[in-house]
Each structure stands twice: as C-alpha cells, then as structure tokens.
Amino acid sequence: MSRSLSFSELTSYFLQLEETRSRNEMTDILVDLFKETPNSEVDIVCYLVLGQINAEYEEEVLGLGNKMVAKAISIASSKSKQEVQELFRETGDLGTVAEKISGETKTLNSFFGEQKELTVTEVHQGLKDISRFEGSGSYDKKLRTLAGLITRADKVGARYIVRISLGKLRLGIGAMTLLDTLAKTYTGDKKNRPEVERAYNISSDVGLVGKKLAYKGHKGLEDIEVEVGRPIRMMLAQRLENLDEVKDKLEDRFAAEVKYDGERMQIHKKNDEVKIYSRRMEDITHQYPDVVKAINQSIGSKEVIVEGEAVAYKDGELQDFQTLMQRKRKYDIQKYVEKIPVKIFLFDMLYKEDSLLDKPFPERRKKLEQTISENEIVKCSDIIKTTELREVEKFFNKSVDEGQEGIMIKSCSKDSIYRAGAREWLWIKWKKDYETRMSDTVDLTVVGGFAGRGRRSGLYGALLCAAYNKQKDIFETVCKLGTGFSDETLEELPEKLKPFESEKKPARVSSKIEPDQWFKPEFVVEVLGAELTKSPVHTAGIDTIGNEGIAIRFPRFIGFRADKKSEDSTTTKEIMVMYEKN
Ligand code: AMP
C-alpha cells in the first residue's frame, strides 16, 4: 500500500502557518508540506488547508453547529456536556476546548481498540461521511463519526478537526497563495502560476489542479478542460472614470449592454438537468426552481453553459438587488417564487456542445441568440452595437432611468475571449454614481473594528476597510468607515462580524492602524467615497508611491455584499488607477 500522510504531520504544518505573518513564509511552509505529501493525497491536502473537504462548488459543506460539535467533544473526553459548554463560554473557541480536554480519558478508546495513527485520508473520509449522512438517524451517525475522529486524533489534531467541522479553520491561506505553492512545488517555478491559475479558473477545483500537477507536472494542466456541471470562475469588468476613454481602450470595436442590478448566475444545462452557480461558485439551484424550469423551456441543446443576471420583477417593473436578496433562503422557496418573481437576462454563452471560451464575444453572443428562445423569464440582455459615444450615453441614461446600474461595454475585437476569473479591459463597467468625484462605489473587505462611543457604545463605531492586492494576495487598508450605517445595521454588525474575529492581525492583512478588534479578511461591504488622497496611515498601494498609501475620504456605507468573496473586493491596482485619474 502506498504511504499516507499522517494527520499529525499535516497539523504540524498548520501550527507553523498560524505562527507566520509573512506570505512568502507561508508559501515556503506549504511547499515543504506538499513535498511530504504523496501524490494520491495532494487534492485532499489542498482542500484541507483551505478548510474545505471538496472543491468550493461542490455541495458537501460542513459547517456543523456548535451544539453538535460540543456534544461530540464531550463524548470523546471525560467531560460532561455542561463542562464543555462552560469551557466554550470561557474560551470562545471549541477547537481550543477540544485540544484542552481531549486525551484526558478517551472513553471511546476501548470501543475502537488499539488504532494506527490517523491519516489525512481517514480524516477527510470521516468529514465527508459526516457531510453526507441524511435522513433518520443521521444526527447520531454524524455525532459518532466526529467523536470517533476527535478520539483518535492527538490534541492538536482535535483542535483542527473541530475547527474544520465547524467550517472555521481559517489559516489565512487564499486560493492564490495555494496556486503559487503548487506552481513552485510541481513545476519548479512560481512564474508558471498564470497557467496554473488558468486551469483553476476553468475548473474551480484547486484539488484537481494540484493532483494533475503532482502526477504529471506542467503537462498535467492540459488534461483540465471546461466541463458542464463544473462552474467556471467568472469574468469581471474594469471601471472607467470618463466615457470618452472607452475609445482609448477598445477603439471602435465594442458593444454596450444594460448593467442589470441583480445577481449573476452561471447556468449549466446537461440534457434537462440544470444547475445554477452564484458568483461565489455556490450551487444556488434550489433557490430558483422557476429559472430551472424556464431554462429547460428556453434551451433545447444538450450541453450548454450560459451566464446572465437575475433581477427581481414586480408589477411590470424590474426591482433592485436588495429585493432579489429575499430569494436567498433555505425554506419557503415556493412562496418566494411567487412573492418575488425574477427575470434572467442572459449575456454570454460559454459552452455549446464544446467550449466557447476562446471564441470572440460577437460569436458567443450570436450563438446565444440563436440558441435560446425567449420566454416570460428568460431574456437576452439589451445590447446596442453602436460605436457612437453619444448613442452609448443615451443608452446609459435610459438604463439608469429604468432603475438599472448603468452599462457594460464589451470588446468585440477578435481577441475578445471569455477570460475566466480575470478583471481586464475586455469588459468595462460604467455606473451611475458619477456625480461624485469618485464615480463608482468600491467593494472593500472589513479587517478591523473600532468600539463605538456615546449612542454607539457597545457596538462598532467604525470599520477598518481594505482593498485587495491581487499580486501579493494581501489586504491593504484604505479607510475607516463610520458613516452611512442605519441604527439597524449598526446593531447587526457585531453578530455578523463575530465569526471573523481574530486575536491578532491576520497574516494577509497589511495595516499601520491597530483597531480594537481584528477580523479575518472575509466580509465585504460596498462603500462610496468622495475622493482619494495620499495618506501616511493607510497601506493601499504603499509600494507604488513611496511610503504613503492611498485613502478614501468621506467613505459612506452603502450595503453588505454577501455575494462577494474578499478576493472579489476592489483591488489596490484599481484604487491606484482611480487615484491617478482624480
Ligand atoms: P461589479 O459587481 O460592479 O464589478 O460589476 C460586474 C457585475 O455586473 C457582473 O458580475 C454581473 O453580475 C453584473 N452584470 C449586470 N449586467 C451585466 C451584463 N450585461 N454583462 C455582464 N455583467 C453584468
């Protein structure tokens, strides 16, 4: 039998990763880890370091409740449920509790008999089983399996099994750091990261990429192709400050579409099986049975991937994003299908019996129009193919008058491929908040909180917000956000941010400011600012303009962006471009 990595070897690397704040060191530690990992377990290790048990898009997610995990810890130790709860209240982290008390007396040891050392494959299999048990008796099965794993692990292992099962591992490693590591370990050079990243962008499965690389090196990447049923990481848009610049970027080869104010959907259809993925790669099919039905009625082809924006629709009018968000639910789905009907405006076709990613946009659009027959729900996005900027501006005004966000301007050149996972100039967004000097809202990641005073005492008074530096895979601060919050929002904040609290500055955060509370960079908010200025206290773009960063002045909170991941935040590079144009 081939060698297996023991779980305690894996967690010894977890301990090292928790100790470092430098991303380079993290990559070095991870390279050492992968050198120790047998090829057959590379995918599992990829998932586990990210705190997952599968590719992000797969439905199997853990996120067990505190109560069940506390009970499992109690079974695996000599402590009663009450004692475990008491320790949980003291420490605030069940992982620490499990570490502390597991191994004191292992009541299940006699049940399991003498065991060999726990391997990563066994832990992964156990966690997968837990996520899959369903129906009657499933609660007990989950409980027993988890207690069994905790019992067999050593103390440090118990800590991490508990954190993973709660969905709270949070070692601070992003997918991009992992891709760097894989490139370095298996192709010998971090420079190959773009090809590795492309394989990840079209498969959304870092485990698959890792395993192919481990077995076949660089060549393994050729095996990874677009597959219906496996989401493609979505293409994103750049922003402009001034409409005239469209011509500099795209010359005369572009078309403009309405930028709808809704939720992006990537829809995969294989025969009559339809799956819908959100921008975060979550499978949201069950929330939209109406869209599933309408897509089946609209598209006859066997294997298709299309993209579009779903928008709430009521009394003959399109509604805003917040209205649509009421459809984000587990229960009462049918009631909300009727209460908040939607339309889906399709704007791209990525696959039709074969991948279309490398075809230019006009060809993809034509295929889309030929393939779908419109119905009550499924529509093609509104598009104009003029290169007259005056016409584009009129189209923009009409779109805004109709309550939409603005327009998307898309390259129609022969190079206008679908660039999975990339934010480049092939798509340009032009939004309506152009009356302020900062013409667009930005999406920022919350990395810290400041205690409120007076009316806000006991709550957060302001949040420390950061932009994403994609090159370094870190979050750099740009503003302290203290206005625009309703009383209701302020009250919700502590609860919403609690899962991300961190005792020290997280590894991927770059900040000169010390907030009262650090947060792991996971929670995204939308912010509108008045202007950008140089600042000695913020770190965004700090390497580019000497030892000062860029700050957003007079930032206002606009809303939560639960649909975005922190890596989808506005990038430092975009902030720099906005600054230079100011
Ligand atoms: P932003 O979230 O501001 O970066 O803008 C990009 C988002 O606009 C995409 O992810 C889509 O969800 C949305 N969108 C709305 N209408 C369109 C369209 N016609 N083409 C592409 N994206 C669109």
Side-chain angles (χ1 to χ4, degrees), residues 12-139:
S12 70
Y13 287 99
F14 283 6
L15 286 175
Q16 292 177 47
L17 289 163
E18 283 201 308
E19 280 310 305
T20 176
R21 294 176 180 210
S22 136
R23 186 168 170 256
N24 282 340
E25 264 177 46
M26 275 187 162
T27 313
D28 291 342
I29 296 168
L30 285 169
V31 170
D32 289 344
L33 164 61
F34 281 101
K35 284 188 177 150
E36 289 287 310
T37 306
N39 289 350
S40 60
E41 287 177 325
V42 167
D43 49 350
I44 294 177
V45 170
C46 286
Y47 301 137
L48 290 179
V49 294
L50 295 176
Q52 298 165 199
I53 50 171
N54 260 317
E56 294 162 74
Y57 67 87
E58 286 177 287
E59 273 171 286
E60 291 161 340
V61 266
L62 276 162
L64 301 180
N66 285 332
K67 244 178 145 172
M68 178 191 272
V69 177
K71 212 164 160 187
I73 297 172
S74 145
I75 296 174
S77 69
S78 57
K79 302 281 188 221
S80 69
K81 266 191 302 183
Q82 287 69 23
E83 285 171 299
V84 173
Q85 285 294 358
E86 189 52 41
L87 282 166
F88 179 34
R89 262 191 294 280
E90 274 169 29
T91 58
D93 169 28
L94 279 171
T96 311
V97 175
E99 179 170 9
K100 217 168 163 173
I101 64 177
S102 95
E104 285 187 352
T105 327
K106 296 204 165 181
T107 51
L108 286 189
N109 265 353
S110 51
F111 174 72
F112 282 108
E114 265 304 294
Q115 292 279 350
K116 285 210 294 277
E117 203 178 7
L118 192 61
T119 66
V120 291
T121 298
E122 285 171 306
V123 172
H124 182 246
Q125 191 54 51
L127 295 172
K128 264 184 112 144
D129 290 345
I130 292 171
S131 78
R132 281 181 187 166
F133 290 133
E134 265 181 27
S136 77
S138 61
Y139 182 88

Side-chain angles (χ1 to χ4, degrees), residues 168-228:
K168 288 183 180 160
L169 178 67
R170 307 209 172 100
L171 292 174
I173 295 163
M176 294 304 146
T177 305
L178 195 50
L179 294 176
D180 267 351
T181 304
L182 294 175
K184 202 166 162 187
T185 317
Y186 299 113
T187 73
D189 199 338
K190 241 163 69 169
K191 285 207 187 77
N192 292 320
R193 145 99 179 258
E195 284 116 297
V196 176
E197 196 177 331
R198 179 183 146 83
Y200 171 61
N201 284 336
I202 62 174
S203 67
S204 307
D205 187 346
V206 75
L208 175 74
V209 176
K211 205 161 184 174
K212 288 282 176 198
L213 282 168
Y215 275 107
K216 292 190 173 175
H218 205 285
K219 254 189 113 34
L221 298 176
E222 290 167 18
D223 294 352
I224 298 177
E225 287 175 0
V226 176
E227 257 179 39
V228 180

Side-chain angles (χ1 to χ4, degrees), residues 194-372:
E195 284 116 297
V196 176
E197 196 177 331
R198 179 183 146 83
Y200 171 61
N201 284 336
I202 62 174
S203 67
S204 307
D205 187 346
V206 75
L208 175 74
V209 176
K211 205 161 184 174
K212 288 282 176 198
L213 282 168
Y215 275 107
K216 292 190 173 175
H218 205 285
K219 254 189 113 34
L221 298 176
E222 290 167 18
D223 294 352
I224 298 177
E225 287 175 0
V226 176
E227 257 179 39
V228 180
R230 194 168 65 188
I232 298 166
R233 290 184 25 97
M234 295 184 192
M235 174 162 173
L236 301 168
Q238 278 287 9
R239 69 183 71 222
L240 272 186
E241 300 297 303
N242 181 341
L243 197 53
D244 296 338
E245 290 166 36
V246 166
K247 295 260 178 180
D248 302 339
K249 299 286 179 197
L250 304 179
E251 297 174 354
D252 272 342
R253 286 185 291 272
F254 60 83
E257 287 181 37
V258 171
K259 184 176 192 304
Y260 297 93
D261 187 16
E263 176 173 27
R264 178 124 169 219
M265 287 184 175
Q266 192 178 89
I267 306 177
H268 292 235
K269 175 180 179 289
K270 195 172 202 162
N271 300 317
D272 51 10
E273 196 192 328
V274 173
K275 279 206 179 291
I276 308 178
Y277 294 101
S278 73
R279 182 166 163 154
R280 303 188 62 154
M281 310 275 108
E282 285 155 340
D283 184 342
I284 51 171
T285 315
H286 65 283
Q287 288 167 16
Y288 293 100
D290 43 348
V291 176
V292 171
K293 194 166 159 209
I295 285 285
N296 266 326
Q297 286 165 350
S298 158
I299 304 179
S301 318
K302 271 200 203 142
E303 289 205 293
V304 165
I305 305 175
V306 287
E307 267 190 10
E309 188 89 351
V311 189
Y313 180 81
K314 213 175 173 189
D315 304 328
E317 282 187 20
L318 295 173
Q319 310 290 309
D320 64 5
F321 174 73
Q322 298 304 340
T323 309
L324 180 73
M325 282 303 100
Q326 296 181 52
R327 290 285 301 262
K328 279 217 161 304
R329 53 182 53 249
K330 274 197 185 139
Y331 308 107
D332 292 334
I333 304 270
Q334 203 48 46
K335 191 168 133 199
Y336 275 80
V337 165
E338 278 146 44
K339 199 168 160 198
I340 321 265
V342 300
K343 289 196 186 292
I344 167 109
F345 293 93
L346 298 179
F347 54 71
D348 216 321
M349 180 158 230
L350 315 189
Y351 195 96
K352 185 177 176 185
E353 321 307 349
D354 200 357
S355 170
L356 301 173
L357 294 191
D358 293 331
K359 305 280 183 226
F361 172 60
E363 201 179 320
R364 302 199 308 275
R365 172 82 196 192
K366 197 163 153 208
K367 270 222 155 63
L368 176 72
E369 288 171 10
Q370 287 166 347
T371 308
I372 68 164

